[in-house]
Amino acid sequence: MKSYTLPDSTGHFGKFGGSFVSETLVHALDELREAYDRYKNDPEFQREFAYELKHFVGRPSPVYHARRWSEQLGGAQIWLKREDLNHTGAHKVNNCIGQILLAKRMGKTRIIAETGAGQHGVATATVAARYGLECVVYMGSEDVRRQAANVYRMKLLGATVVPVESGSRTLKDALNEAMRDWVTNVENTFYIIGTVAGPHPYPMMVRDFQCVIGEECIEQMPVDAGRQPDYVVAAVGGGSNAMGIFYPYINHADVELVGVEAGGHGIDTPEHAASLNAGVVGVLHGNRTYVLQDAAGQIQATHSISAGLDYPGVGPEHAWLKDSGRARYEVVNDDEALQAFHHCCRVEGIMPALESSHALACAARMAPTLSADKIILVNLSGRGDKDMHTVAEFSGISL
Ligand SMILES: *Cc1c(COP(=O)(O)O)cnc(C)c1O
């Protein structure tokens, strides 16, 4: 692939992507696409985005040589892209800044979002506070109960959290409710989607905002590691941290791109979230992609120890990268991710998010099979403080 220019003008990555929404939203999406087309190359927009990433988020995040862990594994050198050091503790804020700057320029006064574990809700509430806009976050009532600390965080930041009581009372129900709100309030409301999913132009737009991650790596790796990596590895929930680090490397043909899906209790059980490895092509969240659904077309309940990977679909660009062969997608189960979490804590003094621990586990699997002069760059998408209770519970410890 020499010059990669997807999606096409209708938002397709091959047969994936597109825009499957109700009539009422067609106009809103047209308006968003036009605004994004206009501002994405606008120097003033770019300047403000870069300024916020530097002064509010704390970018650039460094790349770090996990030297002790690499030595212990006895093979390739593992490097970490430190998105855990960002304000709010993960990569999600990069995208939220981009979208709220766009909302402001479009004259929108109200922000809505949906969240599962609450991480995207917190990132959205953070930027809404920063810009003084009203913020409403939809969250399944089951998730509200499970993620009480994040609900309180959002409230501290001034957001209204609306518990959704329909269906399984989790992420997919919150998604439907957010869409319904947008249809009703489309005049003054901007919908901030948290990953590279949703109808066109969201998958492209979120990727573009997140690709600051990979662009920094392309600059940093030759300086700090002496050259570009041989492998780039990232966890895939919806796929935004992975697209953010993959995208600038797509045209570097000798860099292998490896996405890592959540295998939960194993993809031979119903309890996983591996849409690319075990899903079928369908429509979810306004785009065509791989989804986990049953024979009757009902979206399946998913499971992962990391709430952020617990999503029954995946961004359409990953579906394309998989089918085209440009990226490959591995599966890591709960127990293996937990093991990598503990190793990273003890050997490197870094507590990774459980999402990122899936990518770390995959790198730990690869490293011993490679020679010591190979480089694996892992996107450490977030920090693990939020996951302490989950890890403790798994180890039979009550905090
Ligand atoms: C939300 C989240 C993810 C998964 O989302 P993507 O869109 O796939 O990146 C991964 N890591 C962390 C730390 C998260 O908070």
Side-chain angles (χ1 to χ4, degrees):
M1 250 176 269
K2 251 197 126 50
S3 52
Y4 180 93
T5 55
L6 293 176
D8 66 16
S9 61
T10 56
H12 285 89
F13 305 87
K15 67 177 175 184
F16 302 106
S19 183
F20 297 81
V21 294
S22 65
E23 195 70 16
T24 358
L25 286 183
V26 171
H27 173 68
L29 286 165
D30 282 346
E31 188 191 37
L32 176 61
R33 219 183 45 244
E34 279 159 24
Y36 182 60
D37 273 351
R38 178 160 150 220
Y39 290 114
K40 77 175 170 198
N41 298 315
D42 174 44
E44 180 47 31
F45 182 88
Q46 288 302 335
R47 191 204 59 76
E48 193 176 352
F49 184 48
Y51 183 93
E52 291 300 300
L53 290 179
K54 180 176 176 197
H55 295 273
F56 189 64
V57 178
R59 305 201 70 90
S61 65
V63 289
Y64 165 81
H65 186 186
R67 199 170 270 128
R68 283 196 353 109
W69 201 30
S70 304
E71 251 166 45
Q72 286 191 6
L73 290 164
Q77 303 306 306
I78 297 179
W79 284 72
L80 309 177
K81 176 61 172 167
R82 300 290 309 275
E83 292 300 294
D84 60 313
L85 296 177
N86 292 341
H87 176 46
T88 69
H91 67 292
K92 286 193 173 74
V93 69
N94 303 326
N95 163 53
C96 288
I97 298 256
Q99 289 196 49
I100 206 160
L101 291 181
L102 198 55
K104 232 180 46 167
R105 280 168 172 73
M106 292 171 74
K108 307 291 183 186
T109 54
R110 182 172 175 270
I111 298 295
I112 59 168
E114 92 290 332
T115 195
Q119 294 305 112
H120 175 56
V122 170
T124 303
T126 298
V127 299
R130 161 78 184 83
Y131 283 96
L133 298 187
E134 183 191 349
C135 180
V136 176
V137 179
Y138 289 94
M139 193 167 181
S141 60
E142 184 55 23
D143 289 334
V144 168
R145 191 184 61 74
R146 286 191 293 207
Q147 309 288 341
N150 273 341
V151 172
Y152 186 52
R153 268 187 201 109
M154 287 183 258
K155 288 182 177 166
L156 287 173
L157 291 159
T160 305
V161 179
V162 181
V164 176
E165 302 288 351
S166 57
S168 57
R169 305 190 178 96
T170 58
L171 179 61
K172 68 182 167 56
D173 312 292
L175 261 165
N176 293 337
E177 214 49 49
M179 283 283 200
R180 215 163 288 148
D181 178 310
W182 201 29
V183 169
T184 315
N185 301 298
V186 69
E187 284 311 313
N188 71 344
T189 297
F190 191 103
Y191 179 19
I192 297 190
I193 292 184
T195 190
V196 285
H200 182 58
Y202 283 102
M204 168 181 79
M205 185 170 73
V206 176
R207 173 199 73 195
D208 292 350
F209 290 141
Q210 288 293 6
C211 78
V212 62
I213 302 172
E215 281 165 0
E216 287 175 2
C217 292
I218 293 223
E219 301 265 305
Q220 292 165 327
M221 289 304 287
V223 176
D224 294 326
R227 63 182 182 87
Q228 298 297 347
D230 300 288
Y231 302 88
V232 175
V233 180
V236 176
S240 68
N241 86 85
M243 273 324 304
I245 196 165
F246 285 180
Y247 186 64
Y249 279 109
I250 287 180
N251 289 330
H252 292 231
D254 44 0
V255 178
E256 273 193 47
L257 308 176
V258 184
V260 186
E261 293 196 296
H265 296 147
I267 58 170
D268 50 349
T269 75
E271 292 173 337
H272 62 79
S275 324
L276 288 164
N277 279 280
V280 295
V281 176
V283 170
L284 177 73
H285 205 177
N287 68 90
R288 178 179 285 116
T289 185
Y290 283 99
V291 297
L292 293 169
Q293 58 183 26
D294 63 22
Q298 289 296 311
I299 297 304
Q300 247 165 264
T302 50
H303 162 81
S304 167
I305 191 168
S306 75
L309 300 184
D310 203 349
Y311 175 63
V314 62
E317 194 162 13
H318 286 292
W320 160 254
L321 289 174
K322 172 188 152 81
D323 280 17
S324 69
R326 179 61 189 94
R328 67 182 159 92
Y329 293 86
E330 302 285 336
V331 176
V332 162
N333 295 355
D334 287 353
D335 49 358
E336 208 183 345
L338 262 172
Q339 200 184 5
F341 172 93
H342 287 297
H343 284 157
C344 192
C345 287
R346 292 211 199 133
V347 181
E348 293 297 341
I350 294 172
M351 191 181 294
L354 282 172
E355 292 83 2
S356 324
S357 299
H358 286 71
L360 293 171
C362 184
R365 216 192 259 166
M366 291 162 64
T369 71
L370 300 166
S371 59
D373 60 342
K374 295 289 181 193
I375 298 177
I376 305 174
L377 174 63
V378 179
N379 196 2
L380 192 71
S381 53
R383 59 175 171 247
D385 311 49
K386 69 182 177 63
D387 295 316
M388 271 199 313
H389 281 88
T390 309
V391 173
E393 199 177 307
F394 208 89
S395 312
I397 296 164
S398 75
L399 294 183

